[in-house]
Each structure stands twice: as structure tokens, then as C-alpha cells.
Amino acid sequence: GARVMVPVRHAISEGFVVATRRTRTAGKVDIPSVDDHVSKLEHMGKETVKKLQDIRTAAAQVGVEVSIPENSVTKVGDFKML
């Protein structure tokens, strides 16, 4: 049982993204449909999506009073009511 030592050299690669099931389905779209969920929009992160689910509370937290017909924006087309 002698061990064979294999020489190992360090290597540096260019940056890359690991494609998981989540990253493949969670992609942003260039031209969204009015029926797409707001999370599909560019620059729309988890926190913003949470705030859009309860707009009045989010506005009250920053000291803004809003008068809107619906309290939630979940689809891209919902922005029309604002």
C-alpha cells in the first residue's frame, strides 16, 4: 500500500455563474408581460416584492401617505392602477 503522490498546480478561472434549477427559472425578462410576476422585472428584489404586497404599510413605514385602490401589486399589469 504505497501512496502515489500526484503533483497539483493552482489554477485560476474566469468568473462564472453556477446554473441551478432556481437560477434557470428565476430569470428576469427583457420585455415583461402584464401577467408576469413583479419579481421578473429588472432591479426587483425580494424586499421590494414584499413591500409591494402591502403598499400602505411600506409607505407608512417611511412616513408617506398613499391613497390607492388596491393595496397589493403582484403582477406587472397591476402597476397601471397606481
Side-chain angles (χ1 to χ4, degrees):
R3 289 186 178 181
V4 178
M5 298 297 284
V6 178
V8 178
R9 296 185 331 202
H10 292 278
I12 298 174
S13 72
E14 294 180 17
F16 59 92
V17 175
V18 177
T20 63
R21 186 177 309 143
R22 181 174 170 251
T23 58
R24 276 185 247 129
T25 59
K28 306 291 183 175
V29 293
D30 290 333
I31 302 172
S33 163
V34 292
D35 294 324
D36 283 344
H37 193 270
V38 291
S39 62
K40 296 290 185 184
L41 295 172
E42 287 288 330
H43 309 292
M44 195 67 69
K46 288 181 189 177
E47 289 303 311
T48 304
V49 170
K50 273 192 342 191
K51 290 176 185 177
L52 287 171
Q53 290 174 350
D54 188 1
I55 297 172
R56 290 185 189 107
T57 300
Q61 288 174 345
V62 294
V64 176
E65 188 176 318
V66 293
S67 176
I68 52 177
E70 298 290 327
N71 189 36
S72 177
V73 173
T74 56
K75 300 218 181 267
V76 173
D78 294 345
F79 281 109
K80 290 190 299 184
M81 71 178 172
L82 301 178

